Amino acid sequence: MKKLTRILAFLVLCAALVAGCGAKKQTQAVAEPVTVNVAALKGPTAMGMVDFMDKVDSGSLADNNYHFEIVAAVDEVTPKLVQGQVDIAAVPANLASVLYNNTEGKVEVLAVNTLGVIYIVESGDTVSDISDLKGKTIYASGKGATPEYALNFILEQNGIDPEKDLSIEWKSEHAECLSALMAEENAIAMLPQPFVTTAQTKSDKIRVALDLTEEWDKLGVESSLLTGVVVARKGFVESNPAAVEAFMEHYEASVKFVNENVEDAAALIEKYDIVPAAVAVKAVPDCNIVFIMGEEMKQKLSGYLAVLLEQNPKAVGGKLPGDDFYYAHK
């Protein structure tokens, strides 16, 4: 009887130990919420996040403590990212490379979130092919940045000298190009979305003549015309791998929602003061909002940066980033 009692006691002790180990494993599996500070530029680079932001604001998504900020200019994002006030940011594709080089590799890119959004528009009907731009005047903004490099590359690849074969009048803001387009008959401008849609809501004479993303793709080069990417501080990624993966999962779902539910997304885009819903509902299909990660991201972005390096090394921070620039999705 005493032997039986000792056996039963031993079995109870084993069961208790197993239960304790199980509880410990379960406790370890539940990650503590992480504070994630996110910044995005006002425009297409922020549009894909609106469903994500709305879910956080409504309380239906609370696995981590997400704080979103939409800013009007790149200058507002860069110092915050470098100083650690922002953990993840949606920024222009070439700026990601500049940040990587300027911080000695302390920034990495998580995903491509916007392909090309640049278009040639006109208030007439004289342009249907890149060759039609010869001898014309184009109003444009973005000198010294991606719009200039992209336009020059496409023109040169089509045998057109940007300095001799046409006139490009550079304006300081997209709004100035829009004003010139509205003021002149048969005027031509290079504009990004959603400014294209804004122009068309003001005049039914304005038409899209060329999609520069399509023109880039026609060249057959191993790259794509890109606008925006999502970057993160390398220190944050290394310290919070689960939080980064969760962020990417939610962001990818948000991009899918925006592309598949344009009217609902447009209402959210207005809610977050990006552009009015009436503009957003027409612009979103042409904003090329995507979520591309892993090897495809690396292929598209590295090729694009190589083109910019050839155009102007300063555009990418002097040199191409190393392999550690590209986040390896788990």
Side-chain angles (χ1 to χ4, degrees):
M1 187 68 183
K2 285 183 179 179
K3 186 177 180 181
L4 180 60
T5 302
R6 283 198 298 271
I7 291 172
L8 288 172
F10 176 73
L11 291 174
V12 169
L13 178 61
C14 288
L17 287 171
V18 170
C21 290
K24 186 177 180 183
K25 284 182 180 178
Q26 188 174 14
T27 303
Q28 289 174 341
V30 179
E32 285 294 315
V34 172
T35 296
V36 187
N37 295 308
V38 185
L41 278 175
K42 195 171 185 176
T45 51
M47 288 179 179
M49 278 188 192
V50 292
D51 182 57
F52 188 176
M53 292 190 286
D54 185 56
K55 282 184 167 61
V56 169
D57 287 346
S58 68
S60 63
L61 201 164
D63 56 340
N64 288 298
N65 302 318
Y66 301 102
H67 300 283
F68 291 93
E69 179 184 11
I70 298 176
V71 299
V74 170
D75 294 346
E76 296 178 62
V77 180
T78 304
K80 290 182 178 181
L81 192 64
V82 173
Q83 294 163 16
Q85 296 171 325
V86 165
D87 305 307
I88 298 174
V91 300
N94 70 304
L95 177 62
S97 177
V98 172
L99 287 169
Y100 171 89
N101 284 318
N102 288 353
T103 62
E104 299 180 347
K106 292 179 182 176
V107 170
E108 62 185 291
V109 63
L110 303 179
V112 170
N113 67 351
T114 322
L115 299 178
V117 296
I118 308 171
Y119 297 82
I120 299 294
V121 298
E122 64 171 334
S123 57
D125 193 16
T126 63
V127 178
S128 59
D129 186 82
I130 282 288
S131 61
D132 294 332
L133 294 176
K134 280 188 176 182
K136 301 288 199 306
T137 295
I138 300 175
Y139 296 105
S141 61
K143 185 171 178 59
T146 298
E148 180 185 16
Y149 307 136
L151 178 61
N152 285 352
F153 177 69
I154 291 169
L155 290 172
E156 288 166 358
Q157 293 295 308
N158 281 278
I160 301 171
D161 187 326
E163 294 184 1
K164 297 178 181 177
D165 295 335
L166 72 164
S167 175
I168 304 173
E169 287 197 22
W170 293 101
K171 305 291 186 182
S172 59
E173 296 180 358
H174 300 313
E176 290 182 57
C177 299
L178 187 54
S179 297
L181 190 64
M182 302 289 290
E184 295 179 27
E185 192 173 342
N186 295 321
I188 301 169
M190 178 171 69
L191 287 174
Q193 283 290 9
F195 282 92
V196 173
T197 300
T198 300
Q200 291 179 318
T201 59
K202 293 183 177 181
S203 172
D204 58 6
K205 292 181 180 179
I206 295 173
R207 58 178 285 273
V208 173
L210 300 169
D211 177 344
L212 292 192
T213 303
E214 289 182 5
E215 296 303 323
W216 185 297
D217 291 343
K218 286 178 186 177
L219 301 175
V221 292
E222 289 188 11
S223 63
S224 296
L225 177 55
L226 306 181
T227 297
V229 297
V230 187
V231 298
R233 292 188 297 106
K234 192 176 290 290
F236 180 81
V237 174
E238 292 172 349
S239 300
N240 305 283
V244 171
E245 284 291 313
F247 171 85
M248 293 181 73
E249 182 182 325
H250 300 322
Y251 191 5
E252 184 176 24
S254 182
V255 166
K256 187 178 184 205
F257 174 87
V258 169
N259 285 324
E260 293 180 357
N261 304 274
V262 176
E263 288 194 7
D264 291 338
L268 292 176
I269 289 167
E270 178 172 286
K271 172 185 172 182
Y272 289 104
D273 197 30
I274 299 172
V275 293
V279 172
V281 77
K282 294 178 180 177
V284 165
D286 295 322
C287 281
N288 289 323
I289 298 167
V290 296
F291 193 87
I292 300 170
M293 53 191 170
E295 280 302 311
E296 186 182 358
M297 167 193 72
K298 184 176 180 180
Q299 182 264 324
K300 287 182 181 296
L301 182 54
S302 61
Y304 173 69
L305 294 175
V307 168
L308 294 191
L309 179 71
E310 191 174 328
Q311 288 278 324
N312 186 344
K314 288 182 180 178
V316 298
K319 61 182 178 179
L320 294 178
D323 287 341
D324 62 327
F325 175 60
Y326 302 95
Y327 174 74
H329 178 56
K330 304 299 183 291

